[in-house]
């Protein structure tokens, strides 16, 4: 099968291009979704490798753990929605619209920091930042 050489056109396409900046890798892509491997370094220097499923809703990306391995399946206090999706922005008020490589380069650090905060939340048993994440979208 030949490599896809068409120019990126969707939020998923741009996410696929930008993940390498975080030592992440695309596992597979299909339609409006993709699975990624993302190693996250935390404060003590340890690394947790997450398997993430990312889908698009227009120009916004939705992210969850492919299957709950490091995070609970649902925990509103840790900003994990009932469907397992990460609550990383308040989509209706402060959306990260992924429309090009630059905006994908904004989205991935938000996911990365969210996963670092999840590590701290697991240790402290509460959300570690004062600037709370938005719920519900």
């Amino acid at each position: 099968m030949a490599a896809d050489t068409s120019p990126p056109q969707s939020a998923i396409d741009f996410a696929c291009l930008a993940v390498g900046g975080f030592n992440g890798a695309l596992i597979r892509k299909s339609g409006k979704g993709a699975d990624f491997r993302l190693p996250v370094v935390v404060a003590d220097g340890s690394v947790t490798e997450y398997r993430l499923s990312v889908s698009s809703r227009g120009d916004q990306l939705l992210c969850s753990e492919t299957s709950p391995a490091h995070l609970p399946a649902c925990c509103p206090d840790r900003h994990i929605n009932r469907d397992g999706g990460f609550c990383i922005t308040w989509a209706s008020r402060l959306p990260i619209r992924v429309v090009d490589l630059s905006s994908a380069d904004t989205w991935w650090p938000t996911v990365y920091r969210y996963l670092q905060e999840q590590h701290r939340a697991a240790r402290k048993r509460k959300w570690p930042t004062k600037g709370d994440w938005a719920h519900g979208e």
Side-chain angles (χ1 to χ4, degrees), residues 73-92:
C74 171
C75 183
D77 290 337
R78 288 182 54 186
H79 305 276
I80 301 170
N81 296 325
R82 283 184 296 240
D83 65 358
F86 301 164
C87 190
I88 60 172
T89 65
W90 194 355
S92 65

Side-chain angles (χ1 to χ4, degrees), residues 21-104:
F22 296 89
N23 296 317
L26 174 66
I27 297 170
R28 92 178 138 211
K29 179 183 171 211
S30 63
K32 293 184 178 181
D35 293 337
F36 297 93
R37 176 187 58 77
L38 185 66
V40 176
V41 180
V42 295
D44 67 5
S46 65
V47 177
T48 301
E49 184 171 290
Y50 289 89
R51 301 285 174 144
L52 304 175
S53 292
V54 178
S55 61
S56 65
R57 186 181 331 154
D59 60 6
Q60 294 186 45
L61 295 173
L62 309 171
C63 187
S64 62
E65 210 174 5
T66 302
S67 62
H70 303 293
L71 303 173
C74 171
C75 183
D77 290 337
R78 288 182 54 186
H79 305 276
I80 301 170
N81 296 325
R82 283 184 296 240
D83 65 358
F86 301 164
C87 190
I88 60 172
T89 65
W90 194 355
S92 65
R93 301 217 180 185
L94 297 169
I96 299 175
R97 299 194 184 286
V98 179
V99 296
D100 55 22
L101 189 54
S102 177
S103 53

